[in-house]
């Protein structure tokens, strides 16, 4: 089994990457636990200009493709959505390439996204809502130190603040 090497978050959005994103968003196995608007794929198809694609995907925060260090082709995506609370963000992560599921890429992507949130966006808090039956994602969020704060309506709510994240990194 392949183990996850380092990943990086790639902000560049172009048509080939968007086509890959659309294929992931049309795959029921990938979207099973996502709450994405079902019309997003048709809106992405109708927007061929990279500038408009970038605006569409970044309209509520920041969107990045997840890439392996040795391969610039995306394997998934993360989104940091700004919440209305003071400097808080919600993190969404999806590894679209199913053959890589269970190899730690999601965990690595969460870490890179937390670094972006706390160091570049100056977030105070990052939250995540994970389906209670999505065991891989639950393990990944716990592994990076996010704390379960509540559970209900089929979701587990995680939080992590900047101070806790920094303490983990320094330990």
């Amino acid at each position: 089994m392949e183990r996850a090497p380092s990943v990086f978050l790639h902000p560049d959005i172009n048509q080939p990457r968007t086509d890959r994103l659309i294929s992931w968003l049309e795959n029921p196995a990938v979207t099973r636990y996502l709450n994405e608007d079902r019309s997003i794929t048709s809106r992405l198809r109708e927007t061929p200009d990279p500038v408009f694609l970038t605006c569409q995907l970044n309209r509520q925060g920041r969107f990045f493709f997840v890439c392996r260090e040795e391969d610039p082709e995306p394997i998934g995506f993360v989104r940091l959505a700004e919440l209305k609370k003071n400097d808080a963000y919600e993190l969404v992560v999806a590894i679209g390439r199913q053959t890589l599921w269970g190899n730690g890429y999601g965990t690595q992507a969460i870490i890179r996204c937390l670094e972006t949130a706390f160091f570049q966006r100056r977030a105070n808090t990052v939250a995540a809502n994970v389906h209670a039956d999505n065991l891989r994602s639950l393990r990944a969020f716990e592994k990076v130190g996010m704390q379960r704060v509540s559970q209900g309506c089929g979701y587990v709510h995680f939080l992590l603040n900047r101070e806790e994240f920094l303490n983990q990194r320094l330990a």
Side-chain angles (χ1 to χ4, degrees), residues 8-167:
F8 67 96
L9 303 182
H10 204 297
D12 291 345
I13 299 168
N14 59 29
Q15 196 58 51
R17 287 193 177 118
T18 302
D19 292 342
R20 176 140 318 139
L21 173 63
I22 289 169
S23 72
W24 295 333
L25 293 175
E26 290 176 336
N27 181 341
V30 174
T31 59
R32 178 177 176 194
Y33 299 116
L34 294 177
N35 291 326
E36 298 300 320
D37 179 0
R38 298 294 177 218
S39 67
I40 187 70
T41 55
S42 60
R43 287 197 313 260
L44 292 174
R45 277 195 178 90
E46 294 167 3
T47 313
D49 186 307
V51 173
F52 290 117
L53 284 170
T54 300
C55 291
Q56 178 77 23
L57 292 171
N58 286 302
R59 74 178 193 273
Q60 294 176 333
R62 290 288 293 148
F63 178 92
F64 299 95
F65 285 103
V66 176
C67 302
R68 295 184 288 180
E69 287 290 341
E70 76 280 359
D71 182 7
E73 288 301 312
I75 62 169
F77 66 90
V78 295
R79 186 169 39 96
L80 267 175
E82 291 183 74
L83 301 174
K84 304 247 184 282
K85 302 172 194 168
N86 51 349
D87 299 322
Y89 288 82
E90 181 182 22
L91 188 157
V92 175
V93 62
I95 300 302
R97 196 178 298 174
Q98 289 177 262
T99 58
L100 300 178
W101 288 359
N103 291 308
Y105 289 103
T107 301
Q108 291 294 316
I110 293 168
I111 291 169
R112 295 297 164 260
C113 200
L114 290 170
E115 291 169 350
T116 299
F118 292 123
F119 299 142
Q120 294 176 15
R121 308 294 287 183
R122 302 292 188 231
N124 286 324
T125 306
V126 174
N129 293 306
V130 181
H131 277 267
D133 57 345
N134 188 346
L135 300 179
R136 282 189 178 122
S137 288
L138 292 171
R139 281 193 300 268
F141 280 97
E142 289 174 338
K143 194 176 197 177
V144 301
M146 292 192 76
Q147 303 296 313
R148 286 183 186 225
V149 292
S150 65
Q151 184 168 345
C153 298
Y155 287 92
V156 176
H157 184 68
F158 289 91
L159 279 178
L160 184 66
N161 66 42
R162 184 181 324 147
E163 185 177 325
E164 292 166 339
F165 181 74
L166 293 173
N167 288 339

